[in-house]
Amino acid sequence: GAGVSQSPRYKVAKRGQDVALRCDPISGHVSLFWYQQALGQGPEFLTYFQNEAQLDKSGLPSDRFFAERPEGSVSTLKIQRTQQEDSAVYLCASSLNAGTSFEQFFGPGTRLTVL
Amino acid sequence: EDQVTQSPEALRLQEGESSSLNCSYTVSGLRGLFWYRQDPGKGPEFLFTLYSAGEEKEKERLKATLTKKESFLHITAPKPEDSATYLCAVGSNYKLTFGKGTLLTVNP
């Protein structure tokens, strides 16, 4: 079956531009996660959805970062007024259910470069 | 705060030369210890979940083990296609806390 897909795969933005990153989770997966991965580092948690409810956004670096999952399936991570320090790979992961089937399956990521 | 430390940062092996990667962790309440493989330009690929000390899991040339403080990923007779970054993560609730990874290079 299809895995987690993300688009675009690469995004170049000028400092100050807004960007939107899309994630299509595995069909039927209740939980969805966003992570940020800097070069040479492991992924770092940003936010977590269970269905359409955003249950944890404690990892979002600033109020310029916003995530939504309005129908409990596709999710969008939006970054307003991008800064150079936002350059990273943004990974989306989904899980059947965070409480029981805990394995998270990752998409290929979106590499964001802010000039 | 959950913490994960992986060692070594990089490991270079000859084909067929077995070795182990280490993952040390501190966590408030372990819900699982996860190993992922990440190839350049790709997302992490799930390998194993370990839930309790003493548990072991195997997949092809890889075997993961777990104690109360650390996990090992043993690689037996590696091949060049095993070259990748191996990530360890702990889950204490729903979120995963990752280490920085070990970059494994297997030379033919």
Side-chain angles (χ1 to χ4, degrees):
Chain A
V4 177
S5 61
Q6 294 186 244
S7 61
R9 290 295 316 280
Y10 304 91
K11 177 70 178 177
V12 179
K14 292 183 179 179
R15 188 161 56 95
Q17 282 185 331
D18 298 348
V19 298
L21 312 180
R22 177 188 169 105
C23 172
D24 284 85
I26 294 172
S27 178
H29 277 197
V30 170
S31 299
L32 185 145
F33 307 81
W34 284 97
Y35 291 84
Q36 182 189 60
Q37 186 172 26
L39 191 63
Q41 304 293 314
E44 291 193 359
F45 171 82
L46 294 177
T47 187
Y48 158 56
F49 291 85
Q50 187 159 339
N51 294 306
E52 68 278 3
Q54 188 175 21
L55 299 185
D56 187 342
K57 55 182 181 179
S58 63
L60 296 176
S62 76
D63 58 8
R64 295 186 295 104
F65 286 71
F66 171 77
E68 60 182 4
R69 193 186 185 197
E71 298 179 357
S73 178
V74 171
S75 177
T76 303
L77 176 66
K78 297 179 179 178
I79 309 174
Q80 297 177 326
R81 305 181 303 280
T82 52
Q83 304 294 315
Q84 285 189 326
E85 60 262 29
D86 299 336
S87 296
V89 175
Y90 291 86
L91 295 164
C92 175
S94 70
S95 176
L96 187 60
N97 186 304
T100 56
S101 180
F102 202 48
E103 290 84 357
Q104 296 182 18
F105 298 92
F106 285 81
T110 294
R111 180 177 295 278
L112 173 64
T113 303
V114 181
L115 303 176
Chain B
E1 183 179 334
D2 300 343
Q3 289 190 330
V4 177
T5 303
Q6 292 189 246
S7 62
E9 291 185 4
L11 180 62
R12 189 178 293 270
L13 300 174
Q14 287 299 121
E15 185 172 1
E17 179 186 1
S18 302
S19 188
S20 296
L21 312 182
N22 177 266
C23 171
S24 299
Y25 64 90
T26 56
V27 62
S28 55
L30 184 66
R31 292 279 305 274
L33 185 294
F34 302 83
W35 283 98
Y36 286 84
R37 167 188 172 134
Q38 187 171 30
D39 292 295
K42 296 189 177 182
E45 175 189 348
F46 172 76
L47 293 174
F48 303 109
T49 310
L50 302 168
Y51 290 103
S52 57
E55 189 174 0
E56 298 183 354
K57 287 192 177 174
E58 289 188 62
K59 179 180 180 180
E60 296 181 355
R61 295 176 293 282
L62 301 177
K63 183 169 85 171
T65 62
L66 181 66
T67 72
K68 288 185 178 180
K69 294 183 179 180
E70 56 191 350
S71 176
F72 293 93
L73 184 65
H74 307 278
I75 304 176
T76 302
K79 298 182 177 181
E81 53 261 43
D82 295 323
S83 297
T85 296
Y86 290 85
L87 294 165
C88 170
V90 293
S92 62
N93 195 347
Y94 43 79
K95 71 175 77 171
L96 298 182
T97 300
F98 283 85
K100 293 183 179 181
T102 293
L103 175 60
L104 174 66
T105 304
V106 181
N107 295 315

